[in-house]
Amino acid sequence: MEYEINRVTTTLLAACEAACLPERYQALVDKYPQDPDDNAPMVSLPGKIAIVDSFGLPIRYVKSEGGYFRLNHKKFAHPHMRVTIEMRQWVNFTIASFWGGNWRGQDMPELAHMVRYLRGETTENYQHSPNNSVWCYNETQLTQVLTELFAIFNDVCQAMPPLPPGTKVTWN
């Protein structure tokens, strides 16, 4: 676990702690669990694009990378922060920051687990599981989930210290 924490950076984890990411993310997981029905509906790609566009953030759909939405950090108020969203029936929100000369980040479930580990709340290894994901089956649910996830991301951005003057932020 220490390796993962150092790879993400304690700066980002401190911002996640300040934004109460573990509690807020767990509330979403509890409110939007996986439906065991294999035929559960899925929001269409045009519907997802329209919902993301409605937030007015510089986020674009990147088809060549497997169907992700990515924040254009150069056009965002916090250029050292980025978010990548993967939406299938579950929503995977990855937060990264440019710190120490590199982009470093992790998915929200892993960030929540790392913050809890640093608090001393858990020592178990994080395992990928549907129980750690937020699942959406219609546009209303997806809009509500994205609204809260963007709010969490914004609060993490606000809690991050500014980069030193003259730092050039680049994709690595």
Side-chain angles (χ1 to χ4, degrees):
M1 179 60 67
E2 297 299 325
Y3 170 77
E4 289 87 0
I5 289 172
N6 290 330
R7 200 184 76 198
V8 169
T9 77
T10 54
T11 305
L12 178 57
L13 292 174
C16 291
E17 173 73 55
C20 301
L21 184 144
E23 295 77 16
R24 292 168 74 183
Y25 186 78
Q26 188 61 50
L28 285 173
V29 170
D30 293 343
K31 186 173 181 179
Y32 300 100
Q34 180 181 13
D35 185 339
D37 181 7
D38 288 338
N39 297 316
M42 189 171 178
V43 178
S44 68
L45 179 59
K48 292 174 186 176
I49 291 171
I51 291 168
V52 171
D53 286 348
S54 73
F55 286 94
L57 295 169
I59 293 177
R60 66 191 188 284
Y61 174 68
V62 186
K63 183 177 181 181
S64 65
E65 296 183 16
Y68 294 91
F69 292 83
R70 178 163 287 157
L71 177 74
N72 184 342
H73 69 282
K74 294 178 184 177
K75 295 181 179 180
F76 187 56
H78 303 274
H80 60 304
M81 299 297 292
R82 74 178 180 195
V83 67
T84 302
I85 311 162
E86 176 188 6
M87 288 185 273
R88 302 207 188 273
Q89 281 180 309
W90 64 92
V91 180
N92 185 5
F93 225 70
T94 301
I95 296 177
S97 67
F98 187 82
W99 212 257
N102 292 303
W103 283 101
R104 299 178 180 185
Q106 197 60 265
D107 298 339
M108 274 198 186
E110 287 88 352
L111 288 170
H113 178 74
M114 290 177 194
V115 169
R116 286 189 173 117
Y117 175 83
L118 289 173
R119 290 177 184 167
E121 290 181 16
T122 181
T123 57
E124 67 205 35
N125 289 328
Y126 178 80
Q127 298 294 320
H128 291 280
S129 163
N131 297 333
N132 294 322
S133 298
V134 180
W135 292 72
C136 298
Y137 299 99
N138 60 54
E139 292 183 2
T140 301
Q141 290 177 341
L142 186 57
T143 301
Q144 292 169 346
V145 165
L146 289 177
T147 298
E148 178 58 16
L149 291 175
F150 282 128
I152 293 170
F153 176 64
N154 184 58
D155 291 347
V156 170
C157 290
Q158 296 292 331
M160 285 290 289
L163 287 173
T167 302
K168 183 175 171 137
V169 179
T170 60
W171 292 96
N172 289 346

